[in-house]
Amino acid sequence: MTMMPEHDAEVVIAGAGPAGLWLAAELRLAGVPTIVLEQAPERGPYTRGLGVHARTLEVLAMRGAADTLVRQGRKMPRWHFGMLPSLVDFSVLDTPFPFVLAYPQPLLEDLLERRATELGTTVLRGYTVTGLSQDESSVRIEAACPSGPRAFTASFAVGCDGAHSTVREAAGIGFPGTDSSLFGYLGDVTLDAPPEHGTVTIASRGGTLIIAPLPDGRFRVSGFDPKGQDPGVTLTINRLRASVQRAAGRDFGLRDATWMSRFGNATRQAENYRSGRVLLAGDAAHIHMPAGGVGLNVAVQDAMNLGWKLAAVVQDRAADDLLDTYHAERHPVGADLLNNTLAQTALIAAFSAEGLALRDVLADLMNRTPDMSAHLAADMSGLAVSYPPADLAAHPLTGQRAPDQPADGTSLFPLLADGRAVLLDFRGTLDRAVKTARDLGIPTRTADAWPGQHDVGAAIIRPDGYVWWATEHADDTVTAALHALGARFP
Ligand SMILES: Cc1cc2nc3c(=O)[nH]c(=O)nc-3n(C[C@H](O)[C@H](O)[C@H](O)COP(=O)(O)OP(=O)(O)OC[C@H]3O[C@@H](n4cnc5c(N)ncnc54)[C@H](O)[C@@H]3O)c2cc1C
């Protein structure tokens, strides 16, 4: 559909967090007029999200936006699951980024906002979305602006406005789940007597605790104190020190907190990620205990999945039902995230003799069974995510993550920098298909062989780095597939 002249933008995004900013950048990469409305006049200084996982780094790398992060962040090859004493080993992951990167969320948001605005996004700060309505052709977004109330119109609105999403509520999308019943704590502090080795987890009858180094030399202490469960009590440095002391039997010389906060285990997921012209991404679509540091990552990956699809629909390059695949693909990922964090919460809050024994048994299993650690790493890093096709006859690679394999004298990720699909030709025999692909605006690149055991003659890689279609055969099959899929591709 073409933009109606009275529209303020094709897409209005509520919320300039990681989801909203990455989505805006993706839409602008495709040339979609996009406005972001953000209620906060300026970005807060505190670090909620700290751990950036491998798939997020891959997503950023596909657009040439990972280098600064990787240079400035602190690489942690081992990270926790459920604050178990054995850490999960991320160094075994088959990715250019086999680690969890400690990188403060405000710095990441700075970077994402810079990219979004450089690509032409308008980010309006001090604009609070208060409601919306939609009809067949547009969405009207009400906002409280510095100059008073104002309405914006757009073809689509996306709620990236966090856990208490106004967009979700105004669109009437249910958010079933459970409220917080357990409360953790965190403090970003100086430790005069820090643990000797990087990240440390501790559990005792007095509580669970993780101590992780921050990139600036301070530490994040985060944990769960069975005696600190009154949500009405404000966290002070003395209470934080007492909780750490109870769990660890010492306080590590803890002082000078720059930020202290408590968090709960509320666990909810939007029933649908789409209602007509309104979509949801990130915390607006799913909330959970921030265990294992995954929420921000899933938010960015939601946005990556949605961006190219929304751009293609807005620009009339794809049928509207392409947008339904956003819910179909990302809702199960959100459900897995909730399940994973619920399991971690059970371990974090396990203080009975039985609970502590369960933790010991699991930690021991993880030590003795590297596969178990590797599976957890693949899940938490986002690398295990795939979008299995409904068509059982599809090539086994369909819907799988495309690794950063050698291609066209470089590697796959840089070939995706402009946000367009790529046809990989593994045999150099795609004469007719190459022409069809060119007509559809899909560049063709030569590649040696798909890594691993798969027999692949050609594969089409989606703009978000998953295999859209693959074949063992060549030319004719690819040409036919391109014709069938053509209308769907940027
Ligand atoms: C203590 C803690 C530690 C965490 N640690 C990690 C970690 O290590 N790794 C990780 O991946 N995740 C972590 N998370 C989770 C992570 O912070 C979130 O999942 C992430 O911020 C979600 O991004 P988002 O863009 O969806 O939402 P948000 O970051 O919440 O952004 C939403 C934005 O929308 C704005 N907004 C809200 N309402 C409106 C409105 N009506 N109008 C306009 N704007 C609005 C808000 O001001 C905000 O800027 C942690 C969370 C907590 C609480």
Side-chain angles (χ1 to χ4, degrees), residues 85-172:
S86 310
L87 295 175
V88 175
D89 183 4
F90 287 79
S91 71
V92 301
L93 292 174
D94 184 12
T95 167
F97 311 105
F99 43 79
V100 180
L101 191 76
Y103 195 79
Q105 184 166 341
L107 297 187
L108 176 64
E109 290 180 9
D110 272 347
L111 211 130
L112 300 185
E113 184 159 345
R114 213 171 314 130
R115 176 174 167 83
T117 49
E118 278 168 12
L119 286 165
T121 309
T122 305
V123 179
L124 298 174
R125 290 191 164 272
Y127 286 63
T128 303
V129 173
T130 53
L132 61 77
S133 56
Q134 57 173 316
D135 60 27
E136 275 177 13
S137 59
S138 65
V139 192
R140 181 182 156 88
I141 301 106
E142 314 281 347
C145 311
S147 58
R150 190 186 148 183
F152 293 80
T153 56
S155 296
F156 287 91
V158 188
C160 298
D161 49 346
H164 305 287
S165 171
T166 304
V167 170
R168 185 184 63 230
E169 209 154 290

Side-chain angles (χ1 to χ4, degrees), residues 13-21 37-40 47-53 56 79 100 105 109 124-125 127-131 143 159-167 185-186 220 222 259 261-264 281-286 288-300 302:
I13 297 171
L21 292 169
L37 305 177
E38 165 56 50
Q39 68 180 6
T47 296
R48 283 185 294 154
L50 179 64
V52 183
H53 281 277
T56 308
W79 185 239
V100 180
Q105 184 166 341
E109 290 180 9
L124 298 174
R125 290 191 164 272
Y127 286 63
T128 303
V129 173
T130 53
C160 298
D161 49 346
H164 305 287
S165 171
T166 304
V167 170
Y185 62 82
L186 76 78
R220 168 159 291 185
S222 179
W259 186 47
S261 182
R262 306 185 69 193
F263 52 85
D283 279 12
H286 36 72
H288 53 87
M289 180 89 133
V294 178
L296 176 158
N297 294 268
V298 176
V300 171
D302 283 349

Side-chain angles (χ1 to χ4, degrees), residues 195-246:
E196 271 175 34
H197 304 293
T199 305
V200 172
T201 50
I202 293 163
S204 70
R205 294 297 281 267
T208 32
L209 173 66
I210 179 165
I211 302 178
L214 294 168
D216 64 2
R218 290 175 311 126
F219 291 83
R220 168 159 291 185
V221 295
S222 179
F224 186 85
D225 180 353
K227 291 204 165 137
Q229 289 301 302
D230 182 349
V233 171
T234 309
L235 190 59
T236 62
I237 187 83
N238 287 338
R239 289 197 176 109
L240 181 66
R241 191 178 289 119
S243 290
V244 170
Q245 177 78 42
R246 270 196 286 279

Side-chain angles (χ1 to χ4, degrees), residues 205-428:
R205 294 297 281 267
T208 32
L209 173 66
I210 179 165
I211 302 178
L214 294 168
D216 64 2
R218 290 175 311 126
F219 291 83
R220 168 159 291 185
V221 295
S222 179
F224 186 85
D225 180 353
K227 291 204 165 137
Q229 289 301 302
D230 182 349
V233 171
T234 309
L235 190 59
T236 62
I237 187 83
N238 287 338
R239 289 197 176 109
L240 181 66
R241 191 178 289 119
S243 290
V244 170
Q245 177 78 42
R246 270 196 286 279
R250 57 187 172 131
D251 69 8
F252 302 96
L254 180 159
R255 64 181 167 85
D256 293 342
T258 46
W259 186 47
M260 289 180 291
S261 182
R262 306 185 69 193
F263 52 85
N265 65 332
T267 301
R268 294 179 176 276
Q269 187 176 22
E271 271 167 352
N272 211 309
Y273 285 15
R274 178 183 189 193
S275 169
R277 296 181 167 276
V278 180
L279 296 120
L280 301 175
D283 279 12
H286 36 72
I287 56 166
H288 53 87
M289 180 89 133
V294 178
L296 176 158
N297 294 268
V298 176
V300 171
Q301 288 154 41
D302 283 349
M304 186 71 165
N305 186 290
L306 177 58
W308 65 275
K309 294 175 180 175
L310 187 51
V313 170
V314 162
Q315 294 175 335
D316 241 351
R317 291 180 283 110
D320 178 84
D321 62 4
L322 181 62
L323 277 181
D324 294 333
T325 68
Y326 169 61
H327 170 88
E329 292 183 345
R330 294 305 295 176
H331 193 274
V333 175
D336 282 352
L337 165 69
L338 267 47
N339 210 38
N340 183 291
T341 48
L342 283 171
Q344 291 197 62
T345 306
L347 291 170
I348 288 168
F351 302 108
S352 60
E354 292 82 359
L356 289 170
L358 173 66
R359 291 172 54 85
D360 281 348
V361 168
L362 276 179
D364 183 47
L365 268 177
M366 219 151 86
N367 264 342
R368 286 193 286 149
T369 323
D371 270 4
M372 187 172 157
S373 166
H375 278 296
L376 285 172
D379 284 345
M380 292 167 78
S381 65
L383 296 181
V385 168
S386 66
Y387 306 126
D391 176 6
L392 296 179
H395 189 280
L397 279 179
T398 311
Q400 300 296 309
R401 157 183 163 262
D404 189 24
Q405 54 198 288
D408 227 30
T410 164
S411 68
L412 175 64
F413 288 175
L415 300 180
L416 294 165
D418 62 3
R420 287 158 64 198
V422 170
L423 170 61
L424 291 183
D425 176 3
F426 292 94
R427 305 218 174 105

